[in-house]
Amino acid sequence: MFSFKNLLSALSLVALVHALPAKPIQRRTGFGSMCSTTQFNLSNSVPADFNFTQPNTTFPTFVALSVGTQNYTCGDDGTWSPIGAITELYDISCIPQEEHANFTTMIADMWENSPNTWTSEDIVLSTEAANGPTALGMHYWISDPNNATSGKIFAKWDFGMSRMMEVTDMNTAFVVCSETDVVPDPINPVLNSAWLYEPVLYVDGQKDGQLADQVYRFNSNGGSAPNTTCRANFDFLQVKSTLNFWFYGGAWVNTTSSS
Ligand SMILES: *[C@@H]1O[C@H](CO)[C@@H](O)[C@H](O)[C@H]1NC(C)=O
Ligand SMILES: *[C@@H]1O[C@H](CO)[C@@H](O)[C@H](O)[C@H]1NC(C)=O
Ligand SMILES: *[C@@H]1O[C@H](CO)[C@@H](O)[C@H](O)[C@H]1NC(C)=O
Ligand SMILES: *[C@@H]1O[C@H](CO)[C@@H](O)[C@H](O)[C@H]1NC(C)=O
Ligand SMILES: *[C@@H]1O[C@H](CO)[C@@H](O)[C@H](O)[C@H]1NC(C)=O
Ligand SMILES: *[C@@H]1O[C@H](CO)[C@@H](O)[C@H](O)[C@H]1NC(C)=O
Ligand SMILES: *[C@@H]1O[C@H](CO)[C@@H](O)[C@H](O)[C@H]1NC(C)=O
Ligand SMILES: *[C@@H]1O[C@H](CO)[C@@H](O)[C@H](O)[C@H]1NC(C)=O
């Protein structure tokens, strides 16, 4: 059984892994990625036959590890229905892309085995002390910004709580997206969340946040509800989830492109 301390140590590795090879970590000014993201290529992580809408820029602005929980309630039909998630986001730009899938699985194994008393909120509080700059921010869901009564929820990524606490324009620190391309996880579609392409949501003709224009979700570990029946409108479930998000475009696209 891994302790939570081990999880923290593993997350500290995010910073350490790249300190060993020749290339030192470059602390970015302007709130961008910790290391250059120019070498990252989505085609090497997401199979071409997923037919995902391609990114509009050649490399991502941020690459993140997401650790947290997905919440479910029991729907009228007696099956689990997603009602959002809270996850903490960490900068993994200093880890080579070919290591990302295995690194994410390693963190997932530790998170799965950490005590039930630990919440994702505990992670961010602890890791910010332990890891400082690797904490990017939080991922959670909000109600439909375009229609308060639609009952829909939308994914939001908010770096204003960690990485971009001091930006002058907080609109550049978050983004809200919809989901347009959804493909079942290629390894275990029952246990692992689907892979997603998520373009920025427009509200009153404006982008809802300038953190990014396009977000991709992949390398999923956990997150899906079990395929079991439940008691309608009564049962509640939290499922641990560990995966990657890549962010393309947005206000910081040129902050990370140099070097
Ligand atoms: C991608 O498109 C091809 C050709 O239309 C199709 O055969 C394949 O099933 C699609 N892949 C997915 C994951 O939908
Ligand atoms: C990304 O990788 C694919 C396949 O390996 C390649 O065709 C493409 O040119 C690469 N894109 C960039 C921007 O280097
Ligand atoms: C998920 O469940 C936890 C525990 O009840 C709660 O604190 C959190 O607000 C929930 N989040 C969402 C998005 O439902
Ligand atoms: C990732 O883990 C798998 C399974 O243990 C292993 O076969 C593969 O070589 C690893 N990939 C890298 C890049 O280390
Ligand atoms: C908002 O959602 C409700 C419920 O789905 C729907 O009846 C209504 O037409 C929607 N309003 C707009 C402006 O789309
Ligand atoms: C990507 O670029 C295309 C072509 O310019 C544009 O239509 C689309 O809106 C862009 N997508 C996003 C999410 O910005
Ligand atoms: C869920 O379980 C039902 C009943 O056992 C089965 O028919 C269905 O195919 C399962 N779905 C998945 C995604 O495994
Ligand atoms: C990034 O730089 C390019 C080239 O100078 C420019 O065309 C683009 O508008 C810049 N993007 C942003 C979001 O500032």
Side-chain angles (χ1 to χ4, degrees):
M1 175 81 82
F2 286 106
S3 73
F4 195 75
K5 243 181 171 172
N6 291 123
L7 176 64
L8 294 186
S9 312
L11 290 165
S12 302
L13 286 178
V14 174
L16 288 178
V17 160
H18 211 77
L20 305 173
K23 200 172 153 219
I25 292 174
Q26 302 139 27
R27 294 252 183 274
R28 299 285 170 156
T29 56
F31 311 101
S33 260
M34 289 176 71
C35 290
S36 172
T37 51
T38 54
Q39 75 278 17
F40 290 102
N41 182 336
L42 193 71
S43 306
N44 297 335
S45 291
V46 178
D49 66 4
F50 275 29
N51 309 323
F52 271 1
T53 304
Q54 287 303 298
N56 280 348
T57 53
T58 53
F59 53 86
T61 308
F62 294 99
V63 294
L65 171 74
S66 164
V67 184
T69 53
Q70 171 84 54
N71 289 357
Y72 293 88
T73 54
C74 194
D76 291 336
D77 62 354
T79 66
W80 296 110
S81 173
I83 52 164
I86 294 186
T87 77
E88 310 303 337
L89 303 168
Y90 301 91
D91 190 323
I92 51 171
S93 62
C94 299
I95 298 179
Q97 181 174 352
E98 57 270 25
E99 309 282 350
H100 280 195
N102 285 0
F103 181 78
T104 303
T105 299
M106 181 186 78
I107 298 294
D109 289 345
M110 294 180 176
W111 176 219
E112 292 288 342
N113 289 302
S114 69
N116 287 337
T117 48
W118 285 95
T119 67
S120 46
E121 285 86 350
D122 290 324
I123 297 184
V124 82
L125 291 175
S126 313
T127 52
E128 283 194 347
N131 295 303
T134 62
L136 285 173
M138 292 184 72
H139 169 51
Y140 48 91
W141 294 68
I142 60 167
S143 52
D144 188 346
N146 283 308
N147 183 346
T149 61
S150 76
K152 292 181 185 158
I153 54 174
F154 286 81
K156 179 172 179 175
W157 296 264
D158 187 348
F159 290 10
M161 296 161 173
S162 302
R163 188 79 178 101
M164 296 176 180
M165 230 179 280
E166 289 156 18
V167 296
T168 49
D169 181 0
M170 273 296 162
N171 288 319
T172 66
F174 79 91
V175 66
V176 178
C177 289
S178 59
E179 295 173 9
T180 60
D181 304 344
V182 180
V183 178
D185 179 80
I187 296 170
N188 190 332
V190 176
L191 288 182
N192 300 338
S193 303
W195 295 24
L196 303 175
Y197 165 63
E198 311 185 73
V200 61
L201 182 72
Y202 281 78
V203 176
D204 297 331
Q206 301 290 314
K207 292 176 182 180
D208 198 8
Q210 296 157 25
L211 178 66
D213 294 319
Q214 298 171 290
V215 182
Y216 295 83
R217 182 177 94 175
F218 56 97
N219 287 341
S220 304
N221 293 258
S224 285
N227 186 18
T228 54
T229 55
C230 50
R231 291 169 293 176
N233 305 312
F234 180 77
D235 287 332
F236 173 80
L237 184 68
Q238 282 193 290
V239 180
K240 289 181 178 178
S241 164
T242 309
L243 43 73
N244 296 153
F245 287 113
W246 281 17
F247 302 83
Y248 282 85
W252 307 98
V253 66
N254 291 340
T255 311
T256 55
S257 61
S258 60
S259 93

